[in-house]
Amino acid sequence: MAHRVPSLKDGSLFIKGKCYVNGQWITAKSGATFEVHDPASGELIGTCPEFDKSDTEEAISAAAAALPSFRQTTGRERSKLLRKWYDLMVENADDLATLITWENGKPTADAKGEVIYAANFFEWFSEEAPRNYGDVIPSSIAANRIMTLKQPIGVCGLITPWNFPAAMVTRKIGPALAAGCTVVAKSPGETPFTSLAIAELAHRAGIPKGVVNFVSALKNTPEVGETLTSSTIVKKVSFTGSTGVGKLLMKQSADTLKKLSFELGGNAPFIVFDDADLEKAIDGALASKFRSSGQTCVCANRIYVQSGIHDSFAKGFAEKVQKFKVGSGFEQRITHGPLIHDRAISKVVAHVQDAESKGGKILVGGHKLPNLGSNFFQPTVVTGMTNEMQLTKEETFGPVAGLFKFESEAEVVELANAADVGLAGYFFSKDLQRVWRVAEALEVGMVGVNTGLISDPAAPFGGVKFSGFGREGSKYGLDEYQTVKMVTLGGIGQPLDIN
């Protein structure tokens, strides 16, 4: 396999062995580090500090010290800082994309798309920062005047995942800074170098010291997480990751009554009705299911196709999947890279074997690709799926598309809603009445109608049920980092002074 990592145009963006705290690059007090490996080749990329409780508390203290002055800055001042950070991300997009592909494995084209998507959150919230409006509320007492002020909640702990090393960082930091908060961001242990490059760009953008702090850990991740959730200084925690870890963080945050926003696991239904445009539905399913090799929380996990169109859809879908090219993300014309690690491969293998043992038929793929490396798996299509199979109940987080046949609208909505999670859902139909019925009936936080791609900085991102709560991006994203203070002014209703 040809796997050559391009050199960065700006080598100073590849930061090894240090984290960014209080405007400085520091190591863990213990001197401990952890290794980060290239998922395509297994080769060592570099090491990062293995922060512990003491290191994390130092970052929290830095954020707390920076808060009093930063929260007093105007929305316009914060807007200019975020805009500068955005400009630097765009200027360094190629290097950031290289880091993403190197440590995450996704193809370079996907990585470049992520960089722009990530930068756009800084742009979006740079535009929201000056428009932090309160309200004037009519009082039931004539002499009173009521108003509300929106104020920064304080120091925020942000915990991000590996599947979008840039976008998950900016989607949380952007609104926090726009609101006037300071942050401690926990970089993902699998993919820390992208976030460290973003931290370096924050420094160059002039973000004041202590406002943005990045900590890293792999083995000590639970310890770092508990330090953030149990701290009386940290007033808000935002987490993207699994439902199980989200529940744990919520329990840990109970004693300090933190404000929380969690974007947790998904098991997205993708529904194709008989009246759908077949080619558009196939393309939408391909985009939704196989983006980042299926390693996103909003990937289609259960593809339901109505009986009248099922066989035609399955044939056309499989034919296009067959054309995918798997390999190193740095190779030209590669459509799909490796999975992140061996645990991801094991889960994919288990889901495919379980489906096949229970009557599923593999149309395409179904096997590992050891000739490419230990973390590669064929994009796979399985038909004859049933509710008894593991894929129905668990998020695969890999390149496996399971096709289910259904008969009626009521039946498929019931199947779609049977999951205990509810992040995203998709369906294709030309019937306007059905569009409204099904969109309103699906128990998810986000619905894609006649599209397989729904992510947009302008759109509120989040789920219901065990997929969490709170929204990221959009005009609602700022609210997650603010408190609403009511001010009542009394003795106002006097007549005009005639003297």
Side-chain angles (χ1 to χ4, degrees), residues 409-488:
E409 181 182 299
E411 173 198 0
V412 77
V413 169
E414 182 178 359
L415 291 170
N417 290 342
D420 58 5
V421 291
L423 188 57
Y426 308 84
F427 67 93
F428 275 69
S429 173
K430 295 178 183 177
D431 184 332
L432 185 59
Q433 295 293 330
R434 171 177 280 157
V435 164
W436 281 109
R437 286 196 305 268
V438 175
E440 292 175 354
L442 288 175
E443 295 174 357
V444 295
M446 301 173 286
V447 179
V449 182
N450 295 328
T451 181
L453 299 174
I454 57 175
S455 297
D456 185 329
F461 193 102
V464 297
K465 301 197 287 190
F466 282 5
S467 289
F469 43 81
R471 294 296 180 267
E472 293 185 322
S474 81
K475 68 175 185 178
Y476 303 107
L478 205 59
D479 295 342
E480 301 292 338
Y481 296 88
Q482 296 175 317
T483 59
V484 177
K485 177 181 287 184
M486 182 274 291
V487 178
T488 297

Side-chain angles (χ1 to χ4, degrees), residues 366-385:
H367 301 286
K368 293 190 285 186
L369 294 167
N371 58 309
L372 296 180
S374 61
N375 293 330
F376 289 89
F377 196 89
Q378 293 175 321
T380 300
V381 179
V382 185
T383 59
M385 297 295 296

Side-chain angles (χ1 to χ4, degrees), residues 52-133:
D52 58 17
K53 179 179 181 180
S54 176
D55 298 307
T56 306
E57 287 175 339
E58 182 178 335
I60 292 171
S61 296
L67 180 64
S69 59
F70 190 68
R71 71 183 298 158
Q72 294 301 320
T73 57
T74 66
R76 182 60 63 189
E77 289 172 311
R78 298 193 294 274
S79 172
K80 290 177 180 178
L81 289 171
L82 285 168
R83 180 69 200 198
K84 180 61 176 175
W85 203 355
Y86 161 81
D87 289 339
L88 287 170
M89 284 193 68
V90 173
E91 289 172 17
N92 293 277
D94 288 345
D95 283 349
L96 292 172
T98 295
L99 290 170
I100 291 173
T101 297
W102 197 4
E103 61 183 353
N104 171 277
K106 66 180 64 175
T108 299
D110 289 356
K112 289 181 178 179
E114 181 187 340
V115 172
I116 299 305
Y117 176 55
N120 284 345
F121 283 105
F122 285 159
E123 180 185 44
W124 174 268
F125 285 107
S126 76
E127 295 164 348
E128 290 293 294
R131 297 172 178 81
N132 181 25
Y133 302 124

Side-chain angles (χ1 to χ4, degrees), residues 2-21:
H3 182 68
R4 185 185 64 82
V5 180
S7 299
L8 299 186
K9 297 175 182 177
D10 181 354
S12 64
L13 289 177
F14 180 34
I15 299 160
K16 295 184 288 185
K18 294 182 180 180
C19 281
Y20 187 70
V21 175

Side-chain angles (χ1 to χ4, degrees), residues 9-255:
K9 297 175 182 177
D10 181 354
S12 64
L13 289 177
F14 180 34
I15 299 160
K16 295 184 288 185
K18 294 182 180 180
C19 281
Y20 187 70
V21 175
N22 202 28
Q24 296 181 321
W25 292 101
I26 65 171
T27 60
K29 294 176 183 177
S30 67
T33 61
F34 63 91
E35 294 183 346
V36 181
H37 292 268
D38 182 338
S41 66
E43 295 178 358
L44 177 68
I45 297 175
T47 62
C48 280
E50 185 73 74
F51 269 34
D52 58 17
K53 179 179 181 180
S54 176
D55 298 307
T56 306
E57 287 175 339
E58 182 178 335
I60 292 171
S61 296
L67 180 64
S69 59
F70 190 68
R71 71 183 298 158
Q72 294 301 320
T73 57
T74 66
R76 182 60 63 189
E77 289 172 311
R78 298 193 294 274
S79 172
K80 290 177 180 178
L81 289 171
L82 285 168
R83 180 69 200 198
K84 180 61 176 175
W85 203 355
Y86 161 81
D87 289 339
L88 287 170
M89 284 193 68
V90 173
E91 289 172 17
N92 293 277
D94 288 345
D95 283 349
L96 292 172
T98 295
L99 290 170
I100 291 173
T101 297
W102 197 4
E103 61 183 353
N104 171 277
K106 66 180 64 175
T108 299
D110 289 356
K112 289 181 178 179
E114 181 187 340
V115 172
I116 299 305
Y117 176 55
N120 284 345
F121 283 105
F122 285 159
E123 180 185 44
W124 174 268
F125 285 107
S126 76
E127 295 164 348
E128 290 293 294
R131 297 172 178 81
N132 181 25
Y133 302 124
D135 291 306
V136 176
I137 303 170
S139 172
S140 58
I141 299 172
N144 287 356
R145 300 294 181 268
I146 302 171
M147 68 187 76
T148 60
L149 308 175
K150 290 185 178 180
Q151 297 183 314
I153 194 166
V155 176
C156 301
L158 314 176
I159 305 174
T160 62
W162 52 261
N163 57 338
F164 286 91
M168 297 300 97
V169 171
T170 61
R171 194 162 73 182
K172 297 181 188 299
I173 291 181
L177 266 60
C181 299
T182 57
V183 306
V184 177
K186 162 65 175 65
S187 303
E190 298 87 349
T191 58
F193 294 115
T194 302
S195 60
L196 295 178
I198 293 173
E200 170 61 22
L201 296 180
H203 189 81
R204 297 180 189 179
I207 306 295
K209 72 174 186 177
V211 171
V212 174
N213 306 275
F214 283 81
V215 302
S216 66
L218 186 62
K219 180 185 69 176
N220 291 343
T221 292
E223 181 179 341
V224 171
E226 187 170 9
T227 303
L228 293 172
T229 54
S230 61
S231 170
T232 57
I233 297 173
V234 176
K235 302 301 181 185
K236 152 86 181 188
V237 168
S238 175
F239 168 69
T240 297
S242 71
T243 296
V245 174
K247 289 180 179 180
L248 175 62
L249 295 175
M250 191 170 184
K251 288 178 182 178
Q252 293 173 351
S253 300
D255 285 345

Side-chain angles (χ1 to χ4, degrees), residues 277-340:
D277 182 308
L278 179 61
E279 287 303 314
K280 289 182 179 178
I282 289 172
D283 289 342
L286 291 169
S288 178
K289 172 64 255 183
F290 291 103
R291 182 186 182 196
S292 296
S293 295
Q295 298 177 111
T296 87
C297 52
V298 293
C299 276
N301 201 59
R302 298 167 290 153
I303 301 177
Y304 296 102
V305 187
Q306 201 161 12
S307 58
I309 202 174
H310 176 276
D311 292 350
S312 297
F313 178 93
K315 181 177 181 292
F317 186 73
E319 286 174 352
K320 290 194 174 184
V321 171
Q322 186 76 56
K323 296 177 182 177
F324 288 159
K325 185 176 180 181
V326 181
S328 162
F330 290 119
E331 287 187 72
Q332 292 185 353
R333 295 183 296 279
I334 288 296
T335 59
H336 295 80
L339 300 191
I340 189 66

